[in-house]
């Protein structure tokens, strides 16, 4: 397991950040996808306020193209915790004509989440959104602060980031602004998995190796689903795979794996030379794909 002192230090830092959010903001929310990072955030929030319940709701921006296993896990966890879950759907945003459904080989609803998220923030007047982004995920994330200010249009200005010195988290915002908060910003993928192992957390089954119908494209393994565009010559086959990240099905590829336990997943990640975002096709659209989406108001 990852060094216990390091994991404990990261846990303490994250709990401190979450408590600061509750102390400094009036209407925080925890952005929850059902993935490993947001599951880790939920456990950290539980510890931050124990024995009381988590004092803010969870919110899922549902693309409608999520893995069924993730949605089932989301609903099960929320019921067990007895916390409020808010769900807002990208399909509703499409129906309202605010965004247009993408078509073609690399079509995805991932970027469309931004409008749905910004509408939900405005609807509920949330002033702080806690998310599971980490600096090791993608280089644009490394520019972001733990308290990342967004303007009244929900946009992020990477050139206007406030310094965070000596763990002094400045939660003062102007009318109309909100803050994205990243308590596990300093964690790595391996840290998250080590924490899941340490806490014996339940996670969706698709993180473990399983037999699945897939097809190959561009050297990547895609789930054979009605939500994933497939050419006629892209043949469906069965393969033992798992997913390192559980985003929208249309942009999240699998990896071949025999890992069926958390310890086996940890060992596999230690040996891997490829980032988990290497299986996210939406990050490959351009060199600055993530940064552009964040500037528009993405997570």
């Amino acid at each position: 397991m990852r060094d216990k002192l390091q994991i404990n230090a990261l846990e303490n830092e994250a709990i401190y950040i979450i408590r600061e959010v509750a102390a400094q903001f009036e209407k925080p929310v925890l952005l929850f996808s059902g993935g490993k990072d947001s599951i880790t955030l939920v456990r950290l929030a539980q510890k931050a306020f124990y024995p009381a319940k988590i004092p803010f709701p969870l919110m899922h921006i549902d693309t409608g193209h999520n893995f069924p296993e993730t949605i089932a896990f989301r609903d099960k966890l929320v019921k067990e915790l007895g916390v409020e879950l808010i769900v807002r759907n990208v399909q509703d945003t499409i129906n309202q004509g605010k965004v247009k459904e993408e078509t073609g080989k690399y079509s995805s609803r991932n970027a469309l989440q931004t409008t749905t998220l910004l509408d939900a923030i405005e609807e509920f007047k949330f002033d702080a959104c806690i998310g599971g982004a980490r600096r090791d995920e993608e280089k644009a994330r490394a520019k972001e602060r733990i308290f990342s200010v967004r303007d009244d249009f929900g946009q992020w200005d990477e050139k206007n980031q406030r310094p965070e010195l000596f763990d002094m988290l400045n939660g003062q915002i102007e009318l109309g602004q909100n803050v994205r908060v990243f308590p596990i910003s300093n964690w790595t993928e391996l840290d998250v998995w080590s924490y899941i192992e340490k806490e014996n957390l339940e996670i969706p089954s698709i993180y473990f190796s399983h037999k699945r119908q897939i097809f190959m494209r561009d050297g990547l393994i895609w789930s054979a689903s009605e939500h994933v565009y497939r050419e006629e010559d892209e043949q469906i086959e069965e393969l033992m795979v798992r997913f390192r990240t559980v985003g929208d099905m249309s942009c999240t590829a699998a990896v071949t794996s025999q890992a069926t336990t958390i310890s086996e997943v940890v060992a596999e990640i230690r040996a891997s030379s490829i980032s988990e975002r290497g299986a996210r096709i939406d990050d490959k659209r351009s060199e600055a794909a993530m940064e552009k989406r964040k500037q528009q108001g993405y997570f």
Side-chain angles (χ1 to χ4, degrees):
M1 182 185 287
R2 195 79 156 167
D3 181 79
K4 288 185 178 180
L5 289 177
Q6 178 179 348
I7 294 298
N8 288 340
L10 290 171
E11 178 187 61
N12 290 336
E13 178 187 59
I15 287 173
Y16 160 72
I17 293 166
I18 291 170
R19 287 173 175 165
E20 282 295 301
V21 172
Q24 295 193 43
F25 296 95
E26 295 184 7
K27 290 203 70 175
V29 65
L30 192 153
L31 302 177
F32 187 77
S33 67
K36 65 185 184 307
D37 297 320
S38 56
I39 292 167
T40 296
L41 281 180
V42 168
R43 172 51 62 90
L44 292 165
Q46 282 182 283
K47 287 193 170 187
F49 304 108
Y50 183 83
K53 287 186 177 182
I54 298 172
F56 38 72
L58 278 53
M59 183 166 71
H60 183 207
I61 303 301
D62 189 346
T63 67
H65 293 174
N66 295 285
F67 292 94
E69 299 95 326
T70 307
I71 298 300
F73 178 86
R74 177 199 72 185
D75 294 342
K76 177 176 179 289
L77 180 64
V78 167
K79 184 177 180 180
E80 290 174 352
L81 294 178
V83 296
E84 179 186 1
L85 173 67
I86 298 168
V87 179
R88 287 297 178 267
N89 299 288
V90 170
Q91 184 63 55
D92 292 337
T93 309
I94 294 171
N95 293 344
Q96 293 162 8
K98 294 182 177 181
V99 295
K100 185 177 180 180
E101 183 89 76
E102 295 182 2
T103 59
K105 189 175 181 180
Y106 298 110
S107 59
S108 170
R109 287 187 171 183
N110 204 47
L112 305 186
Q113 295 177 85
T114 299
T115 301
T116 311
L117 172 64
L118 295 178
D119 284 350
I121 292 172
E122 175 62 26
E123 176 186 356
F124 292 97
K125 305 301 180 186
F126 291 129
D127 54 2
C129 299
I130 304 169
R134 308 186 320 270
R135 288 183 175 130
D136 73 320
E137 287 183 282
E138 203 275 342
K139 58 188 178 183
R141 296 292 195 194
K143 299 179 181 180
E144 202 149 32
R145 299 295 188 264
I146 291 174
F147 275 17
S148 180
V149 179
R150 307 298 171 104
D151 65 19
D152 52 358
F153 295 104
Q155 298 174 327
W156 174 70
D157 181 0
E158 79 282 3
K159 297 177 182 178
N160 188 27
Q161 293 286 293
R162 300 181 300 195
E164 291 176 340
L165 305 175
F166 309 108
D167 292 330
M168 298 297 291
L169 300 174
N170 184 354
Q172 293 186 356
I173 55 176
E174 298 177 5
L175 184 66
Q177 289 183 328
N178 63 79
V179 169
R180 308 292 167 81
V181 183
F182 305 112
I184 61 171
S185 185
N186 290 327
W187 298 41
T188 66
E189 181 188 13
L190 184 57
D191 292 329
V192 170
W193 277 105
S194 297
Y195 190 73
I196 289 170
E197 184 177 26
K198 169 181 171 290
E199 294 291 310
N200 194 28
L201 296 180
E202 185 180 357
I203 56 176
S205 59
I206 60 173
Y207 278 116
F208 301 113
S209 180
H210 60 285
K211 187 176 289 186
R212 197 177 195 93
Q213 288 196 323
I214 60 90
F215 67 93
M216 303 296 298
R217 177 193 295 152
D218 300 331
L220 297 175
I221 304 168
W222 300 98
S223 183
S225 163
E226 61 178 335
H227 300 313
V228 183
Y229 179 90
R230 182 172 61 86
E231 302 279 4
E232 289 185 6
D233 62 347
E234 293 173 330
Q235 298 298 313
I236 295 176
E237 56 183 302
E238 281 196 338
L239 195 64
M240 291 295 291
V241 300
R242 74 176 191 87
F243 292 86
R244 289 177 69 180
T245 178
V246 294
D248 189 289
M249 294 178 74
S250 61
C251 63
T252 306
V255 295
T256 55
S257 173
Q258 297 297 320
T260 58
T261 66
I262 291 176
S263 60
E264 289 174 349
V265 169
V266 169
E268 191 174 271
I269 292 170
R270 285 185 186 276
S272 176
S273 60
I274 301 173
S275 163
E276 64 184 305
R277 301 294 297 196
R280 292 291 291 271
I281 197 68
D282 53 322
D283 288 347
K284 302 177 186 296
R285 294 188 176 195
S286 75
E287 186 71 16
M290 172 66 81
E291 185 156 328
K292 288 179 180 178
R293 290 203 306 275
K294 280 157 48 59
Q295 287 169 350
Q296 294 166 354
Y298 188 72
F299 302 100

